[in-house]
Amino acid sequence: MSTTFVSRRSFLKVSALAGGGFMLGFHAIGKAMDNTLAEDVFVPNAFIKIDATGIVTLMAPNPEVGQGVKTALPMLVAEELNVNWNTVVVEQAPLNTKLYERQVAGGSGSIRSSWESFRKAGAAARQLLTEAAAKTWNVNVADCYSENSFIIHKPSGKKLGYGELASKAATLTPPVEVTLKDPKEYTIIGQRIRNVDTKSIVTGKALYGIDTKREGMLYAMVARPVFGKKLKSVDDSGARAVQGVKNVVRWENRIAVLATSTWAAKKGRDALKLEWEDDTKPESTRDHQEAFKKLIQQKHDAPKRNDGDAEKAITGATKVLESTFEAPFLPHASMEPMNFFADVRDGKAILFGPTQTPARTRTEVAKVLKIAEENVEVGMSRQGGGFGRRLQADYSVEAAMISSLAQAPVNVIWTREDDMEGGFYRPTGMYRYRAAINEKNELDAWYLIAAAGNQPNATRENSFPAGAVPNFRVDSHNLESNISIGPWRAPNHNFIAFTEETFIDEIATALKKDPVAFRLELLDRAKNNKFGTVAYDIEKYRGVIKLAAEMGNWGEQGKNGIYKGFGAHFSFGAYVAQVADVSVSGGKVRVHKVYCAVDCGRVINPSGAENQIEGGIIDGIGHALFGELTFEKGVAQQKNFNSYRLIRMPDAPLEIETRFIQSDASPQGLGEPCLPPVIPAVTNAIFAATGQRVKRLPVSLMTFL
Amino acid sequence: MAKYSLFINGKERSVDVAADTPLLWVLRDELNLVGTKYGCGVAQCGSCTVHLNDVAVRSCAVPVSAVGTKKVTTIEGLSEAGDHPLQLAWDEADVPQCGYCQAGQIMTAAALLKRNPKPSDKEIETAMTGNICRCGTYIRIRKAIHLAAQKGGKS
Ligand code: FES
Ligand code: FES
């Protein structure tokens, strides 16, 4: 057991409310959730509600986009509370920045940031319940312990259920200091716990943003400008003639058609006669490629990292290797397209829908409506995937404006085409690598010049193999563009890992070294004679590389037509190494199996964690093989799943084998880190199978003989 | 607008909608059966899968006027108590991530098991090709279908 203080923000502030209006503080949530909060409910903090019948409700404050936090975060509370998991009810909490920290789904950070505070919330409640029981029995608190939703008096064996103790516990002062369990005593953390929402999902009862229906609500579809265009003229007579269309409103360069059904709104929107004109210059993919080609030949005045003298080493090298890699734009293409409900009337805004950042939504809606943030209420629905797209607030702000202009509650629905054309994409980029080999047949210099659209920070210059190479330089050029970009699952890393790990493979091949042995040799160099600072832990990196190689029978090539490729990467606090088993026959690439070694600290829920890993790997494979969004004069050329190919079951591996490095370290992110390394693992395997190097994604652009 | 009488999940329901309205939007907007999801609108993703006389169809591509007297089953009507072998297997294999595609996946799988109670990996892959899972839960979906088949997947 370890004693620890409850953090000011997550608990003290909440319990400070307790003196004068603790119940009130929670009442706001109760009201938003169900309007009924009985008098005898024990609400020790914003994470827990225990009623007299013993029902324990745990709040899940973070947005659930499919990453499993609605299951994993309450597990942390339940562990310390010593409740029977099967009796727990989990509820999604609405946005409340006074009660919760960081209600965000992004940066693989939900578990990372909540590990301490959620366990403390559970421990604090457990302590209050224990105290309540001791008071009831008039015994020493030290003689009481908790188990399975009961407080037990050790000497006499008397026990009382949490429900029976709830009202008494509610009258006690919350502790300032709590004692956390020894991890050896964990009975919930580390167990395979199934998704708490599966039953409602498989019966069609789980409600997503797109399912929101409210009294008097209209459905809206919006005509939006493509990149670089603005509205010149509008004729909405055709739209207004569609049966069911109730209103047409304009906000800046957007025209929204509001109707009594989604279909009428869509027919109305499609019947608008709109003329567009150039605003800024509409761009095409070709323009970006031409600009990148020039930029990657240029040195940047302010390198991101510059150890030794890479240029000089390259000039004097025995051998120089050079490779240029290209990344296309990628849309997020979450299964549930963008949508948001808004009801803006009388200076108040009620927003509800799928968002990864409810706080940002509130701030931006308040700003555009010119009302105070207190007058904006944001509720979070379950979300049909996010992948970063729902970190943006464009679609919620738009819904608020449309509702405000129409003075009606409205659910703005995006079609798949709207969603693909109006995105915040994974940026396109071009990376040029050069390496110098010296006379001792060693990697002596590494020089990356990156160029990416709207992304001045396209590199991770302290990543492996930084530290292992004496002359190491990284430059990053930004190409300004009017095409909006944004975080996309494992931002930057999703392309960096492919380029770094492919180039390392190329260098190993040129040095006639085994790619895994070469990576380990570089780690040795970084350990024994490190150049500059590095962002990774050398031993953890080595640990996953060795484990993946062992799991994936590294060294065996071509058996039964299966070729192996290796990839490793560190991102979002987690170390991941993978071996991909790939065959290429008849020009067709098939990934049969992926072996994945992960060091992400303590694993909260292995079933949920493995699901994230499998999802990340399949996502990575799919986008590496097929993902490409191109632009022609500001217009996305792939508008739906018939031209934008997503991975389907026959292209997914039959098996993914995951092993975690056992660790007591604080848990790290998992939603993102397993995606980046699988791309080079697959493309390096393709090289092993065909001798052809993949340098431009997607792989489907290549012809294999 | 025109009146249609539909047989959905064992009940007769009447709606008054434009003839070209896809069954998907009739279910979702008129009848509040929102378990059937919109993902693409062009029969590419399978999120909107329902059964017409026990055959899996993409409801986004079926205009209401084409339904006629065919029996419509949606995810809400697949089983009364949410205990279809596939629904149970989905929980056992802990399949869903975001969950948005899963109603469609289950409806496609249910139609498959009805005509082929013990499908092979290959047969599962072929039947499920039309259903995209953006979260990438394919390995678990395949496993859950096998699990349900072992337990007598016919409903
Ligand atoms: S919405 Fe019908 S197949 Fe995609
Ligand atoms: S679970 Fe998210 S799309 Fe399938």
Side-chain angles (χ1 to χ4, degrees), chain A residues 335 416 640-641, chain B residues 24-25 36-49 57-62 100 130-132:
Chain A
M335 217 58 226
R416 174 59 55 197
N640 207 323
F641 300 139
Chain B
L24 167 67
W25 297 112
T36 304
K37 298 295 190 227
Y38 165 77
C40 70
V42 293
Q44 287 289 320
C45 75
S47 301
C48 66
T49 306
V57 299
R58 313 298 179 214
S59 65
C60 67
V62 178
Y100 193 79
N131 286 74
I132 295 174

PDB file of all heavy atoms in Angstrom, chain A residues 335 416 640-641, chain B residues 24-25 36-49 57-62 100 130-132, ligand 1:
ATOM      1  N   MET A 335     -16.222   5.637 -39.650  1.00  0.00           N
ATOM      2  CA  MET A 335     -17.400   4.951 -40.203  1.00  0.00           C
ATOM      3  C   MET A 335     -18.657   5.815 -40.067  1.00  0.00           C
ATOM      4  O   MET A 335     -19.507   5.815 -40.939  1.00  0.00           O
ATOM      5  CB  MET A 335     -17.562   3.625 -39.456  1.00  0.00           C
ATOM      6  CG  MET A 335     -18.039   2.486 -40.303  1.00  0.00           C
ATOM      7  SD  MET A 335     -16.951   2.174 -41.676  1.00  0.00           S
ATOM      8  CE  MET A 335     -18.103   2.013 -42.961  1.00  0.00           C
ATOM      9  N   ARG A 416     -21.186  10.737 -46.880  1.00  0.00           N
ATOM     10  CA  ARG A 416     -19.797  10.259 -46.988  1.00  0.00           C
ATOM     11  C   ARG A 416     -18.993  11.182 -47.906  1.00  0.00           C
ATOM     12  O   ARG A 416     -17.842  11.502 -47.622  1.00  0.00           O
ATOM     13  CB  ARG A 416     -19.789   8.818 -47.545  1.00  0.00           C
ATOM     14  CG  ARG A 416     -18.405   8.259 -47.832  1.00  0.00           C
ATOM     15  CD  ARG A 416     -17.516   8.242 -46.604  1.00  0.00           C
ATOM     16  NE  ARG A 416     -18.131   7.521 -45.511  1.00  0.00           N
ATOM     17  CZ  ARG A 416     -17.737   7.612 -44.238  1.00  0.00           C
ATOM     18  NH1 ARG A 416     -16.719   8.371 -43.896  1.00  0.00           N
ATOM     19  NH2 ARG A 416     -18.363   6.937 -43.294  1.00  0.00           N
ATOM     20  N   ASN A 640     -15.911   8.467 -52.133  1.00  0.00           N
ATOM     21  CA  ASN A 640     -16.665   7.455 -51.398  1.00  0.00           C
ATOM     22  C   ASN A 640     -15.865   6.151 -51.467  1.00  0.00           C
ATOM     23  O   ASN A 640     -14.802   6.098 -52.090  1.00  0.00           O
ATOM     24  CB  ASN A 640     -18.077   7.297 -51.974  1.00  0.00           C
ATOM     25  CG  ASN A 640     -19.072   6.795 -50.918  1.00  0.00           C
ATOM     26  OD1 ASN A 640     -18.733   5.979 -50.068  1.00  0.00           O
ATOM     27  ND2 ASN A 640     -20.292   7.283 -50.986  1.00  0.00           N
ATOM     28  N   PHE A 641     -16.381   5.114 -50.831  1.00  0.00           N
ATOM     29  CA  PHE A 641     -15.585   3.897 -50.695  1.00  0.00           C
ATOM     30  C   PHE A 641     -15.458   3.094 -51.983  1.00  0.00           C
ATOM     31  O   PHE A 641     -14.793   2.068 -52.006  1.00  0.00           O
ATOM     32  CB  PHE A 641     -16.143   3.026 -49.565  1.00  0.00           C
ATOM     33  CG  PHE A 641     -16.129   3.720 -48.223  1.00  0.00           C
ATOM     34  CD1 PHE A 641     -17.195   3.609 -47.350  1.00  0.00           C
ATOM     35  CD2 PHE A 641     -15.042   4.498 -47.844  1.00  0.00           C
ATOM     36  CE1 PHE A 641     -17.188   4.262 -46.115  1.00  0.00           C
ATOM     37  CE2 PHE A 641     -15.020   5.155 -46.618  1.00  0.00           C
ATOM     38  CZ  PHE A 641     -16.098   5.034 -45.760  1.00  0.00           C
TER      39      PHE A 641
ATOM     40  N   LEU B  24     -33.249   2.623 -45.820  1.00  0.00           N
ATOM     41  CA  LEU B  24     -32.405   3.061 -44.700  1.00  0.00           C
ATOM     42  C   LEU B  24     -32.997   4.277 -43.988  1.00  0.00           C
ATOM     43  O   LEU B  24     -33.110   4.312 -42.758  1.00  0.00           O
ATOM     44  CB  LEU B  24     -30.997   3.403 -45.228  1.00  0.00           C
ATOM     45  CG  LEU B  24     -30.073   4.154 -44.272  1.00  0.00           C
ATOM     46  CD1 LEU B  24     -29.681   3.290 -43.084  1.00  0.00           C
ATOM     47  CD2 LEU B  24     -28.822   4.635 -45.003  1.00  0.00           C
ATOM     48  N   TRP B  25     -33.368   5.292 -44.762  1.00  0.00           N
ATOM     49  CA  TRP B  25     -33.830   6.552 -44.144  1.00  0.00           C
ATOM     50  C   TRP B  25     -35.263   6.425 -43.651  1.00  0.00           C
ATOM     51  O   TRP B  25     -35.671   7.135 -42.739  1.00  0.00           O
ATOM     52  CB  TRP B  25     -33.643   7.723 -45.108  1.00  0.00           C
ATOM     53  CG  TRP B  25     -32.197   7.931 -45.423  1.00  0.00           C
ATOM     54  CD1 TRP B  25     -31.576   7.730 -46.621  1.00  0.00           C
ATOM     55  CD2 TRP B  25     -31.153   8.318 -44.511  1.00  0.00           C
ATOM     56  NE1 TRP B  25     -30.225   7.977 -46.523  1.00  0.00           N
ATOM     57  CE2 TRP B  25     -29.941   8.337 -45.239  1.00  0.00           C
ATOM     58  CE3 TRP B  25     -31.125   8.644 -43.150  1.00  0.00           C
ATOM     59  CZ2 TRP B  25     -28.713   8.678 -44.653  1.00  0.00           C
ATOM     60  CZ3 TRP B  25     -29.905   8.988 -42.569  1.00  0.00           C
ATOM     61  CH2 TRP B  25     -28.720   9.001 -43.313  1.00  0.00           C
ATOM     62  N   THR B  36     -29.822   0.570 -37.598  1.00  0.00           N
ATOM     63  CA  THR B  36     -29.314   0.425 -38.965  1.00  0.00           C
ATOM     64  C   THR B  36     -28.597   1.720 -39.319  1.00  0.00           C
ATOM     65  O   THR B  36     -29.170   2.797 -39.215  1.00  0.00           O
ATOM     66  CB  THR B  36     -30.486   0.179 -39.938  1.00  0.00           C
ATOM     67  OG1 THR B  36     -31.207  -0.963 -39.478  1.00  0.00           O
ATOM     68  CG2 THR B  36     -29.989  -0.073 -41.344  1.00  0.00           C
ATOM     69  N   LYS B  37     -27.315   1.610 -39.696  1.00  0.00           N
ATOM     70  CA  LYS B  37     -26.489   2.812 -39.806  1.00  0.00           C
ATOM     71  C   LYS B  37     -26.217   3.240 -41.245  1.00  0.00           C
ATOM     72  O   LYS B  37     -26.175   2.416 -42.161  1.00  0.00           O
ATOM     73  CB  LYS B  37     -25.135   2.556 -39.125  1.00  0.00           C
ATOM     74  CG  LYS B  37     -25.242   2.256 -37.637  1.00  0.00           C
ATOM     75  CD  LYS B  37     -25.778   3.437 -36.851  1.00  0.00           C
ATOM     76  CE  LYS B  37     -25.668   3.246 -35.364  1.00  0.00           C
ATOM     77  NZ  LYS B  37     -26.900   3.577 -34.644  1.00  0.00           N
ATOM     78  N   TYR B  38     -25.977   4.521 -41.369  1.00  0.00           N
ATOM     79  CA  TYR B  38     -25.539   5.084 -42.653  1.00  0.00           C
ATOM     80  C   TYR B  38     -24.016   5.177 -42.649  1.00  0.00           C
ATOM     81  O   TYR B  38     -23.427   5.706 -41.703  1.00  0.00           O
ATOM     82  CB  TYR B  38     -26.129   6.483 -42.833  1.00  0.00           C
ATOM     83  CG  TYR B  38     -25.472   7.283 -43.939  1.00  0.00           C
ATOM     84  CD1 TYR B  38     -25.783   7.027 -45.274  1.00  0.00           C
ATOM     85  CD2 TYR B  38     -24.521   8.259 -43.651  1.00  0.00           C
ATOM     86  CE1 TYR B  38     -25.168   7.739 -46.295  1.00  0.00           C
ATOM     87  CE2 TYR B  38     -23.901   8.979 -44.667  1.00  0.00           C
ATOM     88  CZ  TYR B  38     -24.225   8.715 -45.984  1.00  0.00           C
ATOM     89  OH  TYR B  38     -23.606   9.419 -46.996  1.00  0.00           O
ATOM     90  N   GLY B  39     -23.392   4.667 -43.714  1.00  0.00           N
ATOM     91  CA  GLY B  39     -21.941   4.793 -43.794  1.00  0.00           C
ATOM     92  C   GLY B  39     -21.467   5.345 -45.125  1.00  0.00           C
ATOM     93  O   GLY B  39     -20.454   6.028 -45.195  1.00  0.00           O
ATOM     94  N   CYS B  40     -22.200   5.028 -46.211  1.00  0.00           N
ATOM     95  CA  CYS B  40     -21.727   5.480 -47.523  1.00  0.00           C
ATOM     96  C   CYS B  40     -22.867   5.847 -48.466  1.00  0.00           C
ATOM     97  O   CYS B  40     -22.689   6.663 -49.355  1.00  0.00           O
ATOM     98  CB  CYS B  40     -20.850   4.401 -48.164  1.00  0.00           C
ATOM     99  SG  CYS B  40     -21.790   2.939 -48.681  1.00  0.00           S
ATOM    100  N   GLY B  41     -24.000   5.210 -48.304  1.00  0.00           N
ATOM    101  CA  GLY B  41     -25.141   5.518 -49.166  1.00  0.00           C
ATOM    102  C   GLY B  41     -25.064   4.934 -50.556  1.00  0.00           C
ATOM    103  O   GLY B  41     -25.970   5.140 -51.367  1.00  0.00           O
ATOM    104  N   VAL B  42     -23.987   4.217 -50.855  1.00  0.00           N
ATOM    105  CA  VAL B  42     -23.827   3.697 -52.227  1.00  0.00           C
ATOM    106  C   VAL B  42     -23.495   2.198 -52.228  1.00  0.00           C
ATOM    107  O   VAL B  42     -22.786   1.705 -53.105  1.00  0.00           O
ATOM    108  CB  VAL B  42     -22.745   4.476 -53.012  1.00  0.00           C
ATOM    109  CG1 VAL B  42     -23.199   5.907 -53.267  1.00  0.00           C
ATOM    110  CG2 VAL B  42     -21.404   4.477 -52.266  1.00  0.00           C
ATOM    111  N   ALA B  43     -24.008   1.478 -51.250  1.00  0.00           N
ATOM    112  CA  ALA B  43     -23.860   0.023 -51.194  1.00  0.00           C
ATOM    113  C   ALA B  43     -22.408  -0.449 -51.161  1.00  0.00           C
ATOM    114  O   ALA B  43     -22.063  -1.489 -51.704  1.00  0.00           O
ATOM    115  CB  ALA B  43     -24.602  -0.638 -52.364  1.00  0.00           C
ATOM    116  N   GLN B  44     -21.544   0.333 -50.492  1.00  0.00           N
ATOM    117  CA  GLN B  44     -20.121  -0.023 -50.451  1.00  0.00           C
ATOM    118  C   GLN B  44     -19.633  -0.462 -49.069  1.00  0.00           C
ATOM    119  O   GLN B  44     -18.579  -1.072 -48.973  1.00  0.00           O
ATOM    120  CB  GLN B  44     -19.283   1.188 -50.891  1.00  0.00           C
ATOM    121  CG  GLN B  44     -19.346   1.466 -52.369  1.00  0.00           C
ATOM    122  CD  GLN B  44     -18.613   0.411 -53.174  1.00  0.00           C
ATOM    123  OE1 GLN B  44     -17.549  -0.049 -52.791  1.00  0.00           O
ATOM    124  NE2 GLN B  44     -19.200  -0.003 -54.289  1.00  0.00           N
ATOM    125  N   CYS B  45     -20.349  -0.124 -48.009  1.00  0.00           N
ATOM    126  CA  CYS B  45     -19.757  -0.354 -46.686  1.00  0.00           C
ATOM    127  C   CYS B  45     -20.496  -1.367 -45.826  1.00  0.00           C
ATOM    128  O   CYS B  45     -19.933  -1.918 -44.884  1.00  0.00           O
ATOM    129  CB  CYS B  45     -19.647   0.962 -45.920  1.00  0.00           C
ATOM    130  SG  CYS B  45     -21.212   1.575 -45.270  1.00  0.00           S
ATOM    131  N   GLY B  46     -21.760  -1.603 -46.106  1.00  0.00           N
ATOM    132  CA  GLY B  46     -22.507  -2.612 -45.365  1.00  0.00           C
ATOM    133  C   GLY B  46     -23.055  -2.181 -44.013  1.00  0.00           C
ATOM    134  O   GLY B  46     -23.734  -2.965 -43.348  1.00  0.00           O
ATOM    135  N   SER B  47     -22.819  -0.948 -43.594  1.00  0.00           N
ATOM    136  CA  SER B  47     -23.320  -0.493 -42.284  1.00  0.00           C
ATOM    137  C   SER B  47     -24.839  -0.559 -42.202  1.00  0.00           C
ATOM    138  O   SER B  47     -25.400  -0.667 -41.124  1.00  0.00           O
ATOM    139  CB  SER B  47     -22.935   0.973 -42.034  1.00  0.00           C
ATOM    140  OG  SER B  47     -21.567   1.127 -42.061  1.00  0.00           O
ATOM    141  N   CYS B  48     -25.493  -0.460 -43.352  1.00  0.00           N
ATOM    142  CA  CYS B  48     -26.957  -0.348 -43.392  1.00  0.00           C
ATOM    143  C   CYS B  48     -27.630  -1.688 -43.654  1.00  0.00           C
ATOM    144  O   CYS B  48     -28.799  -1.721 -44.011  1.00  0.00           O
ATOM    145  CB  CYS B  48     -27.330   0.625 -44.498  1.00  0.00           C
ATOM    146  SG  CYS B  48     -26.884  -0.038 -46.125  1.00  0.00           S
ATOM    147  N   THR B  49     -26.881  -2.784 -43.486  1.00  0.00           N
ATOM    148  CA  THR B  49     -27.419  -4.101 -43.860  1.00  0.00           C
ATOM    149  C   THR B  49     -28.644  -4.498 -43.038  1.00  0.00           C
ATOM    150  O   THR B  49     -28.636  -4.430 -41.807  1.00  0.00           O
ATOM    151  CB  THR B  49     -26.323  -5.176 -43.703  1.00  0.00           C
ATOM    152  OG1 THR B  49     -25.180  -4.750 -44.449  1.00  0.00           O
ATOM    153  CG2 THR B  49     -26.803  -6.534 -44.215  1.00  0.00           C
ATOM    154  N   VAL B  57     -29.392  -7.356 -47.437  1.00  0.00           N
ATOM    155  CA  VAL B  57     -29.351  -6.320 -48.476  1.00  0.00           C
ATOM    156  C   VAL B  57     -28.839  -5.023 -47.859  1.00  0.00           C
ATOM    157  O   VAL B  57     -28.885  -4.832 -46.646  1.00  0.00           O
ATOM    158  CB  VAL B  57     -30.750  -6.044 -49.096  1.00  0.00           C
ATOM    159  CG1 VAL B  57     -31.310  -7.282 -49.770  1.00  0.00           C
ATOM    160  CG2 VAL B  57     -31.719  -5.522 -48.042  1.00  0.00           C
ATOM    161  N   ARG B  58     -28.357  -4.135 -48.732  1.00  0.00           N
ATOM    162  CA  ARG B  58     -27.908  -2.819 -48.279  1.00  0.00           C
ATOM    163  C   ARG B  58     -29.105  -1.881 -48.362  1.00  0.00           C
ATOM    164  O   ARG B  58     -29.544  -1.520 -49.462  1.00  0.00           O
ATOM    165  CB  ARG B  58     -26.778  -2.297 -49.159  1.00  0.00           C
ATOM    166  CG  ARG B  58     -25.665  -3.293 -49.446  1.00  0.00           C
ATOM    167  CD  ARG B  58     -24.937  -3.756 -48.211  1.00  0.00           C
ATOM    168  NE  ARG B  58     -23.891  -4.742 -48.549  1.00  0.00           N
ATOM    169  CZ  ARG B  58     -23.553  -5.764 -47.777  1.00  0.00           C
ATOM    170  NH1 ARG B  58     -24.164  -5.978 -46.630  1.00  0.00           N
ATOM    171  NH2 ARG B  58     -22.597  -6.577 -48.151  1.00  0.00           N
ATOM    172  N   SER B  59     -29.623  -1.488 -47.212  1.00  0.00           N
ATOM    173  CA  SER B  59     -30.875  -0.735 -47.217  1.00  0.00           C
ATOM    174  C   SER B  59     -30.720   0.667 -47.804  1.00  0.00           C
ATOM    175  O   SER B  59     -31.703   1.295 -48.156  1.00  0.00           O
ATOM    176  CB  SER B  59     -31.463  -0.656 -45.805  1.00  0.00           C
ATOM    177  OG  SER B  59     -30.610   0.078 -44.959  1.00  0.00           O
ATOM    178  N   CYS B  60     -29.481   1.141 -47.952  1.00  0.00           N
ATOM    179  CA  CYS B  60     -29.294   2.460 -48.561  1.00  0.00           C
ATOM    180  C   CYS B  60     -29.557   2.404 -50.055  1.00  0.00           C
ATOM    181  O   CYS B  60     -29.742   3.426 -50.705  1.00  0.00           O
ATOM    182  CB  CYS B  60     -27.884   2.986 -48.315  1.00  0.00           C
ATOM    183  SG  CYS B  60     -26.577   2.072 -49.149  1.00  0.00           S
ATOM    184  N   ALA B  61     -29.546   1.186 -50.615  1.00  0.00           N
ATOM    185  CA  ALA B  61     -29.695   1.041 -52.061  1.00  0.00           C
ATOM    186  C   ALA B  61     -31.043   0.442 -52.436  1.00  0.00           C
ATOM    187  O   ALA B  61     -31.262   0.048 -53.575  1.00  0.00           O
ATOM    188  CB  ALA B  61     -28.552   0.187 -52.612  1.00  0.00           C
ATOM    189  N   VAL B  62     -31.951   0.335 -51.460  1.00  0.00           N
ATOM    190  CA  VAL B  62     -33.281  -0.217 -51.733  1.00  0.00           C
ATOM    191  C   VAL B  62     -34.313   0.892 -51.527  1.00  0.00           C
ATOM    192  O   VAL B  62     -34.572   1.286 -50.397  1.00  0.00           O
ATOM    193  CB  VAL B  62     -33.592  -1.388 -50.762  1.00  0.00           C
ATOM    194  CG1 VAL B  62     -34.988  -1.936 -51.018  1.00  0.00           C
ATOM    195  CG2 VAL B  62     -32.545  -2.485 -50.879  1.00  0.00           C
ATOM    196  N   TYR B 100     -19.794   1.106 -34.623  1.00  0.00           N
ATOM    197  CA  TYR B 100     -20.723   1.672 -35.606  1.00  0.00           C
ATOM    198  C   TYR B 100     -21.061   0.687 -36.734  1.00  0.00           C
ATOM    199  O   TYR B 100     -22.186   0.638 -37.195  1.00  0.00           O
ATOM    200  CB  TYR B 100     -20.106   2.945 -36.192  1.00  0.00           C
ATOM    201  CG  TYR B 100     -21.076   3.794 -36.976  1.00  0.00           C
ATOM    202  CD1 TYR B 100     -21.980   4.632 -36.321  1.00  0.00           C
ATOM    203  CD2 TYR B 100     -21.093   3.785 -38.364  1.00  0.00           C
ATOM    204  CE1 TYR B 100     -22.861   5.425 -37.033  1.00  0.00           C
ATOM    205  CE2 TYR B 100     -21.974   4.580 -39.083  1.00  0.00           C
ATOM    206  CZ  TYR B 100     -22.857   5.401 -38.413  1.00  0.00           C
ATOM    207  OH  TYR B 100     -23.734   6.188 -39.124  1.00  0.00           O
ATOM    208  N   GLY B 130     -18.308  -7.183 -48.171  1.00  0.00           N
ATOM    209  CA  GLY B 130     -19.054  -5.939 -48.370  1.00  0.00           C
ATOM    210  C   GLY B 130     -19.200  -5.099 -47.121  1.00  0.00           C
ATOM    211  O   GLY B 130     -19.766  -4.015 -47.173  1.00  0.00           O
ATOM    212  N   ASN B 131     -18.717  -5.600 -45.999  1.00  0.00           N
ATOM    213  CA  ASN B 131     -18.856  -4.860 -44.740  1.00  0.00           C
ATOM    214  C   ASN B 131     -17.515  -4.323 -44.281  1.00  0.00           C
ATOM    215  O   ASN B 131     -16.625  -5.089 -43.904  1.00  0.00           O
ATOM    216  CB  ASN B 131     -19.434  -5.768 -43.650  1.00  0.00           C
ATOM    217  CG  ASN B 131     -20.913  -6.021 -43.858  1.00  0.00           C
ATOM    218  OD1 ASN B 131     -21.296  -6.777 -44.748  1.00  0.00           O
ATOM    219  ND2 ASN B 131     -21.732  -5.370 -43.070  1.00  0.00           N
ATOM    220  N   ILE B 132     -17.400  -2.997 -44.292  1.00  0.00           N
ATOM    221  CA  ILE B 132     -16.145  -2.385 -43.846  1.00  0.00           C
ATOM    222  C   ILE B 132     -16.196  -2.162 -42.337  1.00  0.00           C
ATOM    223  O   ILE B 132     -17.221  -1.744 -41.807  1.00  0.00           O
ATOM    224  CB  ILE B 132     -15.935  -1.022 -44.544  1.00  0.00           C
ATOM    225  CG1 ILE B 132     -15.760  -1.228 -46.053  1.00  0.00           C
ATOM    226  CG2 ILE B 132     -14.737  -0.286 -43.964  1.00  0.00           C
ATOM    227  CD1 ILE B 132     -15.702   0.068 -46.846  1.00  0.00           C
TER     228      ILE B 132
HETATM  229  S1  FES C   1     -24.655   2.873 -46.106  1.00  0.00           S
HETATM  230 FE1  FES C   1     -25.431   1.273 -47.251  1.00  0.00          FE
HETATM  231  S2  FES C   1     -23.733   0.134 -47.811  1.00  0.00           S
HETATM  232 FE2  FES C   1     -22.903   1.875 -46.865  1.00  0.00          FE
END
